[in-house]
Amino acid sequence: MSTEVLPPVAPEVLADAVEQLSARLRKKLDAAIADCAARAAPGADGSVDVPFGEDAVVTLRPGPSGTVTDAAQAVCTCLLAPRCLHRAAVLGAAPIADGGEAESGEPAQGGDGGGDQVPAMSPVSGMAVGSGGGRTESAAAAAAAATASAVSAGAAGTGGSGGSGGAVGSRGVPGGIGGAAGEGPAPVLTVAQVRAASALWDASAEALSAGVTAGGAVVQAELLRAAHTARLAGLPRAEAAALRVVRGLRAARERSNGQRLGELAGAFRELLAGAALLASGSAGAVAAGTSRRAYEQGGSLRVYGLCREPVLSATGYGGVATHLLGAEGSFFSVSDVRPGGLARAKGAGSASVALGGAVLDHAGLARGGLRIVGATVSADGRLGAGRGVSATPVRGVDWSEEPVAALFARPVREAMVSALGDGTDGSGGSGADPSGAALLGCDVEVVGAVGDHLVVRVVDRGPVLRLRPAHPHPELPHAANLRRIAEHPGLVVRVLGRPDPERAATLRPLAVGPVPGASCTLRLPEEWLGRADLGYDRLQGSHFPSAAERPGPVGPPVADGPDPLTDAPLWRVRRLLETGVAGGRRAVAEAGRGTDTAALVAPLRRAGLGGAARLAEALTAEADRRPRDAFGRLTDASADGYARAWLASAVHLAAAERSLVVASWS
């Protein structure tokens, strides 16, 4: 279903429209949504009309930001309006706007007023504040139970699993909005925030129990209402996680080509973990998040350009992030991300840098440097453009010069562990919000192409790595550049990229350059200053050594080595969790009945993954637990226990897989 004509709709507007429907009309809502976008037609005054037969026309009139932010901006000509099925269906077919974008037209996260705008991604979707008051203890128990069960199972039952249990215990609730669990004492949340988080937990648990098959517009509206309540209570990170889940549910139900069930499962894990942590009252300001990025004074800085990276989000934002390195080895970035999608991502690479009056574009900054006075820096290293900031261009440095050369002298495994611990959010380098993840540099020898990736070997007897495009969009040159490099086995190149936390021994390269002193390496133009940005520069035949200068075959035919993630029986747990996301609670219950349970847990126990086996058994048992009274009526219809069991298994799986990924870089 195409939604290009329909304007974005604020989450609360859709939630209110669905709440006003009668029970009979709610049952018809999903069918009514199906063909709304195909009938939408733009009006002369910027409005959008969607006809329903001869007697009803729904008109959307977005505000100055291009978003429908008020119920009065969506009207229907039928007699039942505004409590009609037509109006709710059109609003349900329209894209969901980011929470912070609804009023201001700006993304939910942004800069300090200096033009640094970044969409709320990291990344990626019916209750009032007081309606969840009676569920606060339940959600608090969920946080404790989910984390405790995963930790205890990993510590006691992994056996010879090679440390996956330790990873669970050391990291607690992993990823996303739950990542602040171990950061020490934090300010106590307000009562309104705890109640809003509890309501969000309840709505999330019901959506997980329903799954994609039953997670239609009504379920999504309940989650959107809870997300809006979270934003009003000052929990923007929780709201952003809920919007990612809603968008994922929509994409899965529409069978969108870009939708992966694993990504939706990860979004559910982050949402449930964060909501449970917040509802427990033990979280602080970091877990709650901020609607705008906070900047602090950084004094005087001298930074050198590393590379540029295109930024392209699923919500229509596009731009560029230029990565910089400080004289002391710290990572910084300057970004320029605004609405515009692919066209802006491609053009922003040569756009001017709005930082302290510096006369530079991003292409020049990526190969140059800046001396900044009065710098303002966010927690993730992003440089702000406040009024007191002054920047002067300075000469850039080649990758063979300090301080950049130190990036490539560091042992690969040590650099990889540091990069994953410095902010990699699981995005896999997709370009959603790249500034928070540290970069890794290494010198590699090209082995050849296998499937959709490039196999390389780190020089000096290092590990074999897979290079995958940092962004797979066909109109960005990442994939084309890697294909051209793959045509030259034996080539030695210097690579700067971001390790993929979800794939074994996988690097997402952002830039490449020649290896100093190597005879068979890249030969780039002098003006490129020894590096090529894979997202903007296009490698040509003249940039490679001639056939006569290349060495002979580097070894036997190219073949993928063992993949610990694929070979480990943990894939059974992943499939069970994704089955729950796709088919809901009933599908998990069916998967755990009869001989299916033994087929699931026996391989896990044989591999020493006893903790994962126990958590999987607990999940299938809870999914099948539907207690009824003497009259056949459910005595406990809550999805709370099922959501706790699913989250505990998902937390354990995420930590175990992360341990395998780290080990694969040895």
Side-chain angles (χ1 to χ4, degrees), residues 5 29 69 143 155 321 355 397 460 468 472 526 602 620:
V5 177
L29 182 56
T69 60
L355 181 65
V397 297
D460 296 332
R468 292 181 180 270
E526 292 185 5
T620 55

Side-chain angles (χ1 to χ4, degrees), residues 71-144:
Q73 295 173 342
V75 297
C76 180
T77 59
C78 77
L79 296 177
L80 291 179
R83 297 179 175 85
C84 64
L85 180 63
H86 314 123
R87 180 173 175 270
V90 173
L91 292 174
I96 299 296
D98 288 326
E101 183 183 0
E103 286 86 5
S104 64
E106 297 179 353
Q109 296 180 7
D112 60 345
D116 179 17
Q117 303 293 337
V118 175
M121 290 286 295
S122 161
V124 123
S125 276
M127 302 179 186
V129 174
S131 66
R135 305 293 296 173
T136 302
E137 294 182 1
S138 172

Side-chain angles (χ1 to χ4, degrees), residues 235-333:
L235 303 174
R237 296 187 75 181
E239 182 214 16
L243 294 182
R244 285 197 297 274
V245 169
V246 172
R247 292 189 180 106
L249 286 172
R250 285 188 168 195
R253 288 176 63 84
E254 296 166 7
R255 293 179 173 85
S256 172
N257 292 333
Q259 172 61 29
R260 292 175 51 214
L261 198 57
E263 293 177 354
L264 181 55
F268 263 114
R269 185 190 72 239
E270 293 184 7
L271 173 59
L272 290 167
L277 181 65
L278 292 168
S280 71
S282 61
V286 174
T290 57
S291 58
R292 296 190 66 84
R293 180 174 281 104
Y295 286 77
E296 297 181 355
Q297 290 297 324
S300 297
L301 294 175
R302 194 180 186 94
V303 295
Y304 302 97
L306 292 174
C307 63
R308 295 169 292 167
E309 178 180 9
V311 179
L312 184 61
S313 81
T315 53
Y317 286 84
V320 62
T322 297
H323 298 278
L324 309 166
L325 188 70
E328 303 299 326
S330 300
F331 288 102
F332 299 93
S333 67

Side-chain angles (χ1 to χ4, degrees), residues 308 320 322 334-336 348-353 360-366:
R308 295 169 292 167
V320 62
T322 297
V334 175
S335 65
D336 181 6
S350 56
S352 298
V353 176
L360 270 179
D361 57 18
H362 282 272
L365 179 58

Side-chain angles (χ1 to χ4, degrees), residues 84-485:
C84 64
L85 180 63
H86 314 123
R87 180 173 175 270
V90 173
L91 292 174
I96 299 296
D98 288 326
E101 183 183 0
E103 286 86 5
S104 64
E106 297 179 353
Q109 296 180 7
D112 60 345
D116 179 17
Q117 303 293 337
V118 175
M121 290 286 295
S122 161
V124 123
S125 276
M127 302 179 186
V129 174
S131 66
R135 305 293 296 173
T136 302
E137 294 182 1
S138 172
T147 306
S149 60
V151 171
S152 62
T158 52
S161 61
S164 65
V168 177
S170 64
R171 295 184 67 85
V173 180
I177 59 179
E183 296 186 0
V188 179
L189 299 179
T190 65
V191 174
Q193 288 176 319
V194 172
R195 294 164 81 180
S198 179
L200 185 58
W201 166 270
D202 292 337
S204 306
E206 293 295 338
L208 177 67
S209 181
V212 172
T213 54
V218 175
V219 172
Q220 296 170 25
E222 293 297 322
L223 194 50
L224 289 174
R225 179 174 295 280
H228 178 60
T229 302
R231 177 162 65 91
L232 294 179
L235 303 174
R237 296 187 75 181
E239 182 214 16
L243 294 182
R244 285 197 297 274
V245 169
V246 172
R247 292 189 180 106
L249 286 172
R250 285 188 168 195
R253 288 176 63 84
E254 296 166 7
R255 293 179 173 85
S256 172
N257 292 333
Q259 172 61 29
R260 292 175 51 214
L261 198 57
E263 293 177 354
L264 181 55
F268 263 114
R269 185 190 72 239
E270 293 184 7
L271 173 59
L272 290 167
L277 181 65
L278 292 168
S280 71
S282 61
V286 174
T290 57
S291 58
R292 296 190 66 84
R293 180 174 281 104
Y295 286 77
E296 297 181 355
Q297 290 297 324
S300 297
L301 294 175
R302 194 180 186 94
V303 295
Y304 302 97
L306 292 174
C307 63
R308 295 169 292 167
E309 178 180 9
V311 179
L312 184 61
S313 81
T315 53
Y317 286 84
V320 62
T322 297
H323 298 278
L324 309 166
L325 188 70
E328 303 299 326
S330 300
F331 288 102
F332 299 93
S333 67
V334 175
S335 65
D336 181 6
V337 183
R338 293 186 176 85
L342 177 64
R344 193 170 195 288
K346 295 168 66 175
S350 56
S352 298
V353 176
L355 181 65
V359 186
L360 270 179
D361 57 18
H362 282 272
L365 179 58
R367 294 180 170 90
L370 286 176
R371 189 171 68 87
I372 308 173
V373 178
T376 57
V377 187
S378 69
D380 61 357
R382 184 159 302 171
L383 297 175
R387 294 181 179 177
V389 178
S390 175
T392 304
V394 297
R395 186 188 73 87
V397 297
D398 189 271
W399 280 4
S400 60
E401 302 177 50
E402 295 296 343
V404 182
L407 290 178
F408 302 94
R410 193 175 187 184
V412 172
R413 177 179 169 82
E414 177 186 334
M416 180 268 179
V417 173
S418 176
L420 288 183
D422 285 349
T424 299
D425 58 0
S427 66
S430 62
D433 188 2
S435 61
L439 302 181
L440 179 151
C442 57
D443 296 341
V444 301
E445 181 183 15
V446 176
V447 178
V450 176
D452 61 347
H453 59 270
L454 172 63
V455 177
V456 299
R457 182 181 292 107
V458 178
V459 298
D460 296 332
R461 299 181 181 181
V464 174
L465 306 180
R466 301 171 179 89
L467 303 187
R468 292 181 180 270
H471 201 296
H473 198 288
E475 294 194 38
L476 295 175
H478 290 285
N481 282 328
L482 288 184
R483 285 195 299 268
R484 184 168 284 275
I485 294 174

Side-chain angles (χ1 to χ4, degrees), residues 18-39:
V18 175
E19 185 182 22
Q20 293 179 35
L21 296 179
S22 64
R24 180 180 63 86
L25 293 179
R26 288 189 181 193
K27 295 179 181 179
K28 301 180 179 181
L29 182 56
D30 288 326
I33 288 175
D35 60 347
C36 284
R39 298 198 305 269

